[in-house]
Structures are given as structure tokens and as C-alpha cells.
Amino acid sequence: MTEQTPRAPRTSRAARPAWAVIRVLRDRNASLYLGGVVVSGFGSSAMWLVAGIWVKDLTGSDGLAALCVLALWAPTLIGPALGTLADRMRRRPLLVGTDLSLAVLLLPLLAVDSPDTLWILFAVLLVYGAAGVVHDAAEAALVATAVDPRLLGDFNGLRMTANEGTKLLAPLAGAGLYAAYGGARVALLDAVTFALAAVLCTLLRVHEPPPRPEGAADLRARTVEGARYLWGHPVLRPLVLAGGTTMLFAGVNGAAVYAVAEGLGHSPAYVGVLYVAQGAGSVAIGLVSGPLLRRLGERRFARYGIALTAVAVTARALPYDAVALASAVAVGVGLPCVLVAALTAVQRETPGALLGRTAATANTLLFAPNAVGLALGAALVELVPYQALLAVVGVTRLLTVLPCRGRPRSSPRP
């Protein structure tokens, strides 16, 4: 297979963003799955925010509050092994079972009411993160089967819109619910949303052949197949490398956001305004990602997004509110481009039997660098002025365009 860069005629309805959205929503499986993304994403976004606040209130420790994020992200480091589970089972039952298991998993949080019971919260968050890795891998594989391949770019773009849209609303709702009733009620809300997502998933119409049985030794060998396939693929490797390096620099940029707010003369609360602006940009690009992918192809779409974020991060060093808000919107528009391009390419270019572990490997390579970038940025912002840091990050970020230059050779046969 080779990378496709079809150009739709300017008069084609498929090239119009509004028509692309309608086409996805008319697809039964795509619309059902997007509904599940909105429902479960709302509960997850609320829970992820409240977990840190909950720990901070019970202990007064910023470090322990930060460990909540670490517990959620740590399982991505073993993503290839966890993703193998998505290739050993039918994906729809696995998704339904994972959603229901998460709903039950959250119930012990009703007992968290003191520092002595915080171990329950951290244990739940660690399992929550691991289940999320399996869920994402199974989702990527199932979507490639359940959704019309011609709609994958549109679907992934709308999924980004749905995710970012819930992040604009859910944290406020979660914080309000927490302030009124405490963390246990937020956990209960998250459990209900997972149960609803499981119901929507059962309504999907998809035929999945039973996976080939594997022994323990065979399983260990096949765990690395996703990474091997990804690294040897001339289309996927440059996109995932570009995405991973982009997320590394995004982490450094994110660590400087409080310094940006202070440099503009605002309180830390202003960071929320910048996040809302960035989320609005991500919502907007998600609506047009499908048509742009068809017109530009994955590589050019990713390159343009990287270039936009590089310019936006550099501009953020300027001491003007309008520039800071505009750059936040631009980062929100540019950052998802390489992620949507990489995920869509993985779904299109990977054989079904390998898709779970390959998607999990891609997710690890895409998102684990963000945690590294956050830690690196947190150290650098204490050592150098944030304006110089952002200028260097913006210029250096252009280097991530290099893996996406040129046209790929023929893809290997699976």
C-alpha cells in the first residue's frame, strides 16, 4: 500500500466540512460510537480534574496531587503489551467489558474520605489508566472495521472535536459537583457515563471473526510485532515520529503556560482562559480534518499543523494578551493535525490482526513524550526566561516536519 493523497474536486460535496460531518453522523456505527465518546469523555474529563483537587484538599500536598496524573499516564509506557489484549479478543465485547469494569472500578472511591484512604484512589487511577490503554487500542481496531474506511479521517476529526468539546464543559461541571457534594459524587457520575457508553457500544453492528488462539510464548513474541510493523512501515514511521516529537515540544510549551500568564500580568486563573481558547481551536479543526486529509494527504496535513504550532509557540513569547489568545487558538488548531493524521494512517495501513497492538504502540510513542516534555519544561522554565524558552521551542519544533517530508516508498505487505 502507498500513501494516498486524493484531491476532491472543488465542487464535490465530500470536500465540504458540513457535508463531511453529515456523512459521519448518518453512519449508524460512527454516530453511536461518537455518542459513547461524548458520554464517557464527559465523565472522564470531570474525574481526571477532580482527582488532583481531591488529593490536594485531603493532604495539602501539590506533589501528591501531581501523582494523580502520573498514575493515569504511567500505563502508556507498557502500551504495546496491553494493546496485545485487543488482538486476542473480539473488540466490541472487550470495549463493553472494559466500560462496565471501569464503572464498577470507580465505586470503591465512595469510601475515600481521609488521607489514610487515598491509596484506594491511586490504585483505582492506575488501573483506570491501564484500562484506558486497552480501550483505546480496541477502539482504534474496532472503528477500522465498523466505520466506512472512506469516513475514517472525518470520524477521527469529529472524535477529536467531541473529546475537546467535553474538556471545555466537563471540568467546570466536575468542579461544581465536587464543591457541592465531594469527590465521591464525581466518581459516581463517571461510573454512570461508562455504563451508558457500554450500552451504546452494544448497539454497534459489526461482524468480527474470532481471533486466532495464542499460547503464552507466542503471545510474548507477538507483543513486539506491532512495534516492528510500525517501525518498518514507510508511511506510519515518519508520521508517528513526527507526532511523538511534536508532543514532546507540546509538553515543554505546556509547562511554560503559567509563566506566560504571569508575564502578561495575570493570575494563574488566566491559564484557564488560554486552555479554553486552545480547546476551541481543536474543536474547529476536528470538524474539517476529514476534508483536509482527503485534499492534502496525511503527510502534508501533519506538516502544516506542525508549522502552525511552531509559529504560534514562538509568538506566545510576545507580551500581548491578544497574541497569547491567538497563539493558543493556533496551537489548538495545529497540534491535533499530526495526531489525527497518524491515527488515521495506522487504521488504514495496518492489517486487522495487528491493529490493536500497533495502535497501542503508536499511542505510546505519540503521548508518552508529552509527559517527558512536561517534566523537562518544568525544569527549564525555572532556569531560563520563558520568552527565550518558547522562542527556542518554536524554532526547534520545525525540525519535526522533517520526518514528514517527501513521499514514502511502497508499504510492506503484511
Side-chain angles (χ1 to χ4, degrees):
M1 300 173 67
T2 57
E3 186 184 50
Q4 300 296 315
T5 56
R7 291 182 177 272
R10 292 186 181 274
T11 57
S12 171
R13 290 198 300 176
R16 302 174 190 169
W19 179 247
V21 172
I22 293 172
R23 289 201 314 158
V24 173
L25 296 181
R26 282 182 175 176
D27 183 281
R28 172 188 168 87
N29 285 339
S31 59
L32 281 172
Y33 207 92
L34 284 173
V37 168
V38 171
V39 170
S40 63
F42 187 90
S44 295
S45 295
M47 188 67 227
W48 286 31
L49 170 71
V50 164
I53 300 174
W54 201 353
V55 172
K56 173 70 174 177
D57 282 347
L58 289 176
T59 67
S61 170
D62 292 328
L64 287 176
L67 283 180
C68 293
V69 178
L70 178 61
L72 288 164
W73 278 96
T76 62
L77 298 176
I78 56 171
L82 293 173
T84 305
L85 297 175
D87 292 331
R88 299 188 67 200
M89 304 173 62
R90 288 187 174 94
R91 279 71 179 252
R92 186 178 66 171
L94 177 59
L95 284 173
V96 172
T98 302
D99 282 335
L100 293 177
S101 297
L102 284 168
V104 174
L105 173 72
L106 288 160
L107 297 182
L109 296 184
L110 299 177
V112 176
D113 58 3
S114 69
D116 292 337
T117 57
L118 275 182
W119 67 269
I120 300 175
L121 175 60
F122 286 114
V124 166
L125 291 178
L126 190 63
V127 179
Y128 193 118
V133 173
V134 176
H135 192 282
D136 288 346
E139 173 195 295
L142 181 64
V143 165
T145 302
V147 176
D148 186 336
R150 295 171 297 180
L151 298 179
L152 282 178
D154 300 289
F155 175 86
N156 288 326
L158 286 180
R159 188 186 187 285
M160 177 70 67
T161 293
N163 271 333
E164 295 302 321
T166 58
K167 290 177 184 177
L168 295 177
L169 301 175
L172 294 176
L177 187 61
Y178 175 82
Y181 300 106
R185 296 295 179 90
V186 181
L188 189 60
L189 168 67
D190 198 11
V192 171
T193 61
F194 275 120
L196 292 175
V199 172
L200 291 174
C201 195
T202 61
L203 300 177
L204 295 174
R205 294 173 180 171
V206 59
H207 173 70
E208 295 184 273
R212 180 172 66 86
E214 301 174 357
D218 191 28
L219 175 61
R220 286 192 295 271
R222 287 171 63 85
T223 297
V224 301
E225 284 187 330
R228 186 182 298 118
Y229 179 82
L230 187 65
W231 187 253
H233 200 289
V235 174
L236 303 183
R237 183 178 65 247
L239 282 171
V240 173
L241 283 176
T245 50
T246 295
M247 292 304 293
L248 173 68
F249 289 119
V252 177
N253 176 47
V257 67
Y258 287 98
V260 170
E262 182 179 0
L264 293 172
H266 296 292
S267 71
Y270 185 74
V271 170
V273 177
L274 297 178
Y275 280 145
V276 169
Q278 181 173 327
S282 296
V283 169
I285 191 63
L287 294 173
V288 298
S289 290
L292 289 175
L293 275 172
R294 282 189 292 275
R295 181 171 294 276
L296 301 173
E298 283 94 353
R299 286 198 174 195
R300 279 206 294 166
F301 185 55
R303 288 204 305 267
Y304 292 164
I306 293 170
L308 178 60
T309 57
V311 173
V313 169
T314 304
R316 181 173 275 185
L318 299 175
Y320 305 107
D321 281 0
V323 174
L325 288 170
S327 67
V329 173
V331 168
V333 171
L335 188 60
C337 293
V338 66
L339 303 179
V340 172
L343 177 58
T344 303
V346 166
Q347 291 172 321
R348 286 177 174 164
E349 298 282 342
T350 308
L354 278 175
L355 189 46
R357 73 202 82 170
T358 303
T361 301
N363 283 336
T364 295
L365 295 175
L366 287 171
F367 296 109
N370 185 249
V372 177
L374 283 167
L376 181 62
L380 289 175
V381 78
E382 297 291 335
L383 300 175
V384 299
Y386 78 90
Q387 296 93 336
L389 177 61
L390 291 176
V392 171
V393 168
V395 173
T396 308
R397 200 168 192 161
L398 289 174
L399 296 177
T400 62
V401 173
L402 296 179
C404 292
R405 289 175 60 86
R407 301 181 67 85
R409 299 186 300 266
S410 297
S411 307
R413 290 185 178 275

